[in-house]
Amino acid sequence: MKVKEAIAALCRVLAGVCPGDGAAASALSPEIFRKAKFDRNEATAEFWKLLHWLLRLVNEDWPCEVTDLSEQIEYVKAAVCYYGYGFMDFYQLPADGTLGSRELLLAFSWLLQRIHLLEQLLNLHRLHVEDQASLCTCRQTIPISSTERLDIQDGRHPVGMDVRYLQFLQGKLLFRWRSLYSVQQERCSALYKIHLYTRGCSSSRSFDHLSATETLLIQDPKQYTEHLERENMQLEAYLEWKQLESLYWPWMQSVLSAKLQDTQELLNVNAVSVTDYSLEQRRNFGESDIFRETDKLSGELLKLQSELQDRRTVKDEKIKDQEQGMGDLAGQHQVLFLTQHDLEQKLAALQARVNQKRRRHCRVRLALKANSTPVGTKPPSVQQHNSESLTALEVITQLKDEAVALKKELQELQQLSKEALGEALEKLDGVICIPPMQR
């Protein structure tokens, strides 16, 4: 009975973070968990929908609703694989959502412990009072493979699409990019005015101004009353879950034991069928002839293995003697081989490593820095709190460096495409290529 209360508390926490989704809310009941323990098929589809909804909330990278169950299953498998789930039975579940409710229950419980699923969901749905912005200074370089380079050089394009349609898409993308940029400028201007006009009103030791949300709370407190009440209910359910969590994991251990027992029974059945097949084969063929041939082949394999081992030992001794003779000479002249080119390569690798450590992909808080405070000095109480803070100038400098690197890479790709286009035009007779006008 206590286990049922723990599962009910867990369902209440999950219902607080996804109240508007009916498909996910249908799986938030202790009965579904009980059916999944015994691997009932009627609970499989609901569990797939629940996992899809929760992982979409955590990742925040699914902009539209997905109603197709097969696409939801594909997304859940990809997300769970990204987090490092190692049960291969989970990835072999059918795409129609008819089997595997116990596997889904195990994956769900693994996510609770591995990535702290409930804590992430509560953090995402709490009222963020501070002004935040997305900061992404990391860049994943995708090199062009050899097959793609051959396709470019041969003049073949992997996508058969009209060039005019690509130009239309490029223009549409540029227009939306400029619109987004103007909206971001207006938002930054409004935040700057709020931070400037509310300076000295904050009671925090780290920031001396109010945020936009705090300003709205002061202006209209009733606007966020409903949100705060719902957040309090979520926290109460979470506290109840933490008190009963110690009862949930022994129950999950029984679920895992049931899975292992079913797997062992299946293995025993397969072993019996294989044994029956081998006995039937022995009756059909002469046992003495088979064993005699097997012993003969085993003896030949052992003889070949010993010969290979002897040759490998002799070869390793020769290589070791050669390395010792060359090592003495290389050790005497090691300093002489450090040329200027080697030093530049080492410095470049060290700089790239430093830049890689400074790259970030997270959300940061926006704060207005006082103009009277020098750049290198901070108050004692703020110095410890803002040890990992970044100024806008540092982010702009790093983004400019990334823009220069991307522009250089673009020029290299353009030159490669130009050479491939020239080689393709040489094969055509009577065709003149006129480059576009420079803007």
Side-chain angles (χ1 to χ4, degrees), residues 2-12 28-31 33-34 241 244 248 251:
K2 291 289 186 179
V3 177
K4 189 175 181 180
E5 294 179 1
I7 298 175
L10 176 62
C11 293
R12 283 194 292 272
L28 299 177
S29 63
E31 185 65 22
F33 282 78
R34 189 189 66 82
W241 154 252
L244 300 173
Y248 177 79
W251 181 76

Side-chain angles (χ1 to χ4, degrees), residues 7 13 29 33 59 64 88 98 114 156 163 185 210-211 251 279 321 329-330 349 367 382 384 413 439:
I7 298 175
V13 177
S29 63
F33 282 78
N59 296 326
C64 57
M88 294 305 299
T98 56
R114 179 68 175 181
R156 300 193 301 267
V163 178
Q185 281 186 325
L210 299 178
S211 63
W251 181 76
L279 290 175
D321 295 337
L329 182 61
V382 184
Q384 183 178 2
L413 293 176
R439 294 184 179 179

Side-chain angles (χ1 to χ4, degrees), residues 3-200:
V3 177
K4 189 175 181 180
E5 294 179 1
I7 298 175
L10 176 62
C11 293
R12 283 194 292 272
V13 177
L14 296 176
V17 298
C18 52
D21 187 81
S26 62
L28 299 177
S29 63
E31 185 65 22
I32 296 296
F33 282 78
R34 189 189 66 82
K35 291 180 180 179
K37 176 183 178 180
F38 298 102
D39 204 10
R40 302 289 179 83
N41 296 333
E42 56 267 21
T44 308
E46 285 77 6
F47 246 108
W48 278 121
K49 295 175 182 178
L50 176 63
L51 284 175
H52 171 260
W53 178 260
L54 296 177
L55 290 172
R56 190 184 67 179
L57 289 177
V58 172
N59 296 326
E60 294 183 328
D61 59 354
W62 201 274
C64 57
E65 289 288 341
V66 179
T67 57
D68 190 8
L69 184 59
S70 60
E71 294 183 3
Q72 293 180 357
I73 293 174
E74 183 179 358
Y75 174 77
V76 171
K77 288 183 178 180
V80 173
C81 180
Y82 170 77
Y83 289 120
Y85 188 64
F87 255 140
M88 294 305 299
D89 295 340
F90 171 79
Y91 303 103
Q92 295 174 358
L93 294 177
D96 54 358
T98 56
L99 300 174
S101 59
R102 182 187 293 162
E103 294 294 336
L104 297 177
L105 177 59
L106 291 172
F108 169 77
S109 301
W110 183 85
L111 289 172
L112 283 181
Q113 182 67 24
R114 179 68 175 181
I115 66 173
H116 305 287
L117 182 62
L118 293 182
E119 288 77 5
Q120 289 194 44
L121 293 172
L122 290 174
N123 186 33
L124 288 173
H125 285 77
R126 70 179 179 87
L127 180 61
H128 295 276
V129 180
E130 64 273 3
D131 296 321
Q132 293 184 349
S134 299
L135 175 63
C136 180
T137 57
C138 60
R139 182 171 68 92
Q140 182 179 4
T141 304
I142 304 177
I144 299 179
S145 61
S146 58
T147 55
E148 292 178 351
R149 289 184 181 273
L150 289 175
D151 291 343
I152 294 176
Q153 293 176 1
D154 294 341
R156 300 193 301 267
H157 198 276
V159 181
M161 190 177 294
D162 193 359
V163 178
R164 292 172 295 181
Y165 181 68
L166 293 177
Q167 292 176 350
F168 163 74
L169 292 179
Q170 183 183 8
K172 191 175 181 180
L173 179 62
L174 289 176
F175 175 75
R176 292 189 176 183
W177 178 260
R178 290 171 183 172
S179 302
L180 178 62
Y181 180 69
S182 62
V183 171
Q184 290 291 335
Q185 281 186 325
E186 294 179 1
R187 178 177 179 271
C188 291
S189 178
L191 286 178
Y192 174 75
K193 292 180 180 179
I194 292 174
H195 294 171
L196 184 62
Y197 295 157
T198 60
R199 180 175 294 176

Side-chain angles (χ1 to χ4, degrees), residues 246-292:
S246 59
L247 302 174
Y248 177 79
W249 297 113
W251 181 76
M252 281 305 304
Q253 188 175 2
S254 65
V255 176
L256 183 59
S257 300
K259 170 186 167 51
L260 295 177
Q261 184 178 359
D262 293 346
T263 305
Q264 186 64 35
E265 292 177 357
L266 182 62
L267 290 176
N268 293 335
V269 171
N270 294 334
V272 170
S273 62
V274 171
T275 304
D276 296 340
Y277 177 77
S278 61
L279 290 175
E280 185 178 357
Q281 290 296 107
R282 286 189 179 184
R283 294 191 187 98
N284 295 334
F285 300 98
E287 293 185 0
S288 59
D289 296 337
I290 293 176
F291 289 136
R292 191 181 301 110

Side-chain angles (χ1 to χ4, degrees), residues 238-371:
Y238 178 73
L239 291 176
E240 184 181 358
W241 154 252
K242 294 303 290 184
Q243 293 176 358
L244 300 173
E245 185 181 6
S246 59
L247 302 174
Y248 177 79
W249 297 113
W251 181 76
M252 281 305 304
Q253 188 175 2
S254 65
V255 176
L256 183 59
S257 300
K259 170 186 167 51
L260 295 177
Q261 184 178 359
D262 293 346
T263 305
Q264 186 64 35
E265 292 177 357
L266 182 62
L267 290 176
N268 293 335
V269 171
N270 294 334
V272 170
S273 62
V274 171
T275 304
D276 296 340
Y277 177 77
S278 61
L279 290 175
E280 185 178 357
Q281 290 296 107
R282 286 189 179 184
R283 294 191 187 98
N284 295 334
F285 300 98
E287 293 185 0
S288 59
D289 296 337
I290 293 176
F291 289 136
R292 191 181 301 110
E293 292 293 333
T294 304
D295 294 337
K296 183 178 179 181
L297 291 175
S298 299
E300 292 179 357
L301 288 174
L302 290 174
K303 184 178 179 181
L304 290 174
Q305 185 178 2
S306 61
E307 291 179 0
L308 288 174
Q309 187 67 27
D310 294 338
R311 292 183 181 181
R312 178 63 182 272
T313 304
V314 174
K315 188 175 181 180
D316 290 342
E317 291 177 355
K318 290 182 180 180
I319 293 175
K320 187 176 181 181
D321 295 337
Q322 292 177 1
E323 289 180 352
Q324 288 180 355
M326 296 178 63
D328 298 336
L329 182 61
Q332 297 175 2
H333 304 283
Q334 185 177 5
V335 182
L336 299 177
F337 288 104
L338 291 177
T339 60
Q340 184 69 21
H341 182 65
D342 296 333
L343 291 176
E344 291 178 356
Q345 286 184 347
K346 291 183 178 180
L347 289 175
L350 182 61
Q351 186 67 28
R353 191 178 305 171
V354 172
N355 293 335
Q356 185 69 25
K357 290 181 180 179
R358 290 178 59 86
R359 289 176 179 176
R360 302 184 180 186
H361 182 85
C362 58
R363 296 185 67 85
V364 294
R365 178 172 182 176
L366 299 177
L368 181 62
K369 189 176 181 180
N371 295 329

